Amino acid sequence: MSHTLVSLACHAYGLAALVYLAFLVRQSQVLAVTGRVLVGTGLLMHCVALIQMLGAQGGRLVGPAQGMSTFAFLLLALFLALDVRYRKPVIGAFLTPLAVAVLLIGMLLHGGSTPLPDAVRQPLLPVHVTIALLGLTAFGVAAGVGVMYLLMERQVKTKHFGLLFSRLPSLEFLDTLNRRLVLWGFIALSLTLATGALFTTTLRGLAWALEGKHVATFVAWGVFAALVNARIFAGWRGRRVALLTMAGFCLVLVSFLSSYDLSAAGPGMP
């Protein structure tokens, strides 16, 4: 039942992606409303599916399929909240295709979950994984905003005011939104590292080794820490901020995907 609901939600998201891409070409209030309705409908079905899935798994994400499905859900939920708040449906043209791609990959991995070892079945694990997913979501949206900023900045810099110039939000709006998303994502990433370290120290007999996913997480934290400080104390804005955001998101994404190696360390370990 849950897999069927996820499939239906994916179809709704796919239609929404086409609608938002059409909105990018021709702005229309009808298209904007249609996109919101499709995303909202997909989120409702997706939410029910996730509740069923978590109920069957004891409230835990136990594999890459579930993790990617949840990430896609949170990504679109955050996008819809931003769209309702700021009335910028054009953002959907950059985020809905990403969410659909992530969800499709997760659906292809359906059935690849493995029960967690008893050693990692602790109450702190769901908290750790949830915070990690929220941070990944914030960084994902920030990266999408960064792509929009680079496209808009290129149009302004070259003075070639094409279709995107009249469709995309202003550079100031995109930069401000990026700053807020990166800040929230950085807080979540810091909490992820803290809860991960606490979680690891509470386990007996579980060896902690420095792996590629740990390195990627620490490097990503360093990138975003430097970015937040540069914004606050050095007044960084614009292109380099957008590029660093995208680079940092790629590192966090690599860490997230590699954390589902289904080893004894379990998912989401920093």
Side-chain angles (χ1 to χ4, degrees):
M1 179 63 178
S2 61
H3 185 67
T4 301
L5 287 174
V6 172
S7 179
L8 291 173
C10 187
H11 281 79
Y13 297 151
L15 290 175
L18 294 176
V19 168
Y20 283 119
L21 289 172
F23 182 87
L24 187 63
V25 177
R26 180 180 180 182
Q27 289 186 331
S28 166
Q29 186 63 25
V30 174
L31 290 174
V33 173
T34 301
R36 293 183 190 120
V37 170
L38 286 170
V39 170
T41 302
L43 287 174
L44 287 175
M45 293 186 290
H46 202 167
C47 182
V48 174
L50 288 175
I51 292 174
Q52 291 179 348
M53 179 269 295
L54 290 173
Q57 300 293 345
R60 293 175 173 85
L61 301 175
V62 296
Q66 293 88 339
M68 297 182 77
S69 180
T70 305
F71 172 49
F73 172 82
L74 293 173
L75 190 69
L76 287 173
L78 179 55
F79 154 68
L80 187 61
L82 292 174
D83 185 20
V84 171
R85 171 65 177 84
Y86 296 108
R87 299 296 175 180
K88 302 292 185 182
V90 70
I91 300 176
F94 295 85
L95 294 182
T96 50
L98 172 62
V100 170
V102 170
L103 186 55
L104 284 174
I105 295 174
M107 292 175 67
L108 291 176
L109 296 175
H110 178 70
S113 61
T114 299
L116 292 175
D118 292 336
V120 298
R121 289 181 177 273
Q122 296 194 14
L124 186 59
L125 180 60
V127 176
H128 169 69
V129 175
T130 299
I131 296 174
L133 282 168
L134 291 173
L136 180 65
T137 301
F139 289 139
V141 177
V145 171
V147 172
M148 297 172 65
Y149 186 96
L150 293 176
L151 292 173
M152 187 65 168
E153 190 247 7
R154 179 177 177 82
Q155 298 248 325
V156 173
K157 188 174 182 179
T158 60
K159 296 183 179 181
H160 179 70
F161 305 121
L163 178 67
L164 290 178
F165 181 80
S166 61
R167 299 291 189 266
L168 298 181
S170 67
L171 291 175
E172 181 179 359
F173 172 83
L174 293 172
D175 188 72
T176 300
L177 183 58
N178 173 278
R179 173 174 54 82
R180 294 173 179 173
L181 290 167
V182 167
L183 179 59
W184 284 109
F186 176 68
I187 293 173
L189 181 58
S190 299
L191 291 174
T192 299
L193 289 172
T195 56
L198 180 62
F199 175 73
T200 303
T201 57
T202 61
L203 301 179
R204 295 181 179 180
L206 179 63
W208 188 92
L210 189 62
E211 302 175 357
K213 60 186 177 184
H214 305 135
V215 174
T217 302
F218 290 132
V219 172
W221 186 90
V223 169
F224 285 115
L227 181 55
V228 169
N229 279 276
R231 271 191 173 276
I232 295 175
F233 299 108
W236 275 27
R237 301 185 52 160
R239 180 181 180 84
R240 55 187 172 182
V241 168
L243 290 172
L244 283 175
T245 300
M246 295 163 62
F249 169 66
C250 289
L251 288 170
V252 176
L253 186 61
V254 167
S255 174
F256 171 74
L257 294 177
S258 62
S259 67
Y260 280 101
D261 57 5
L262 302 177
S263 66
M269 295 293 291

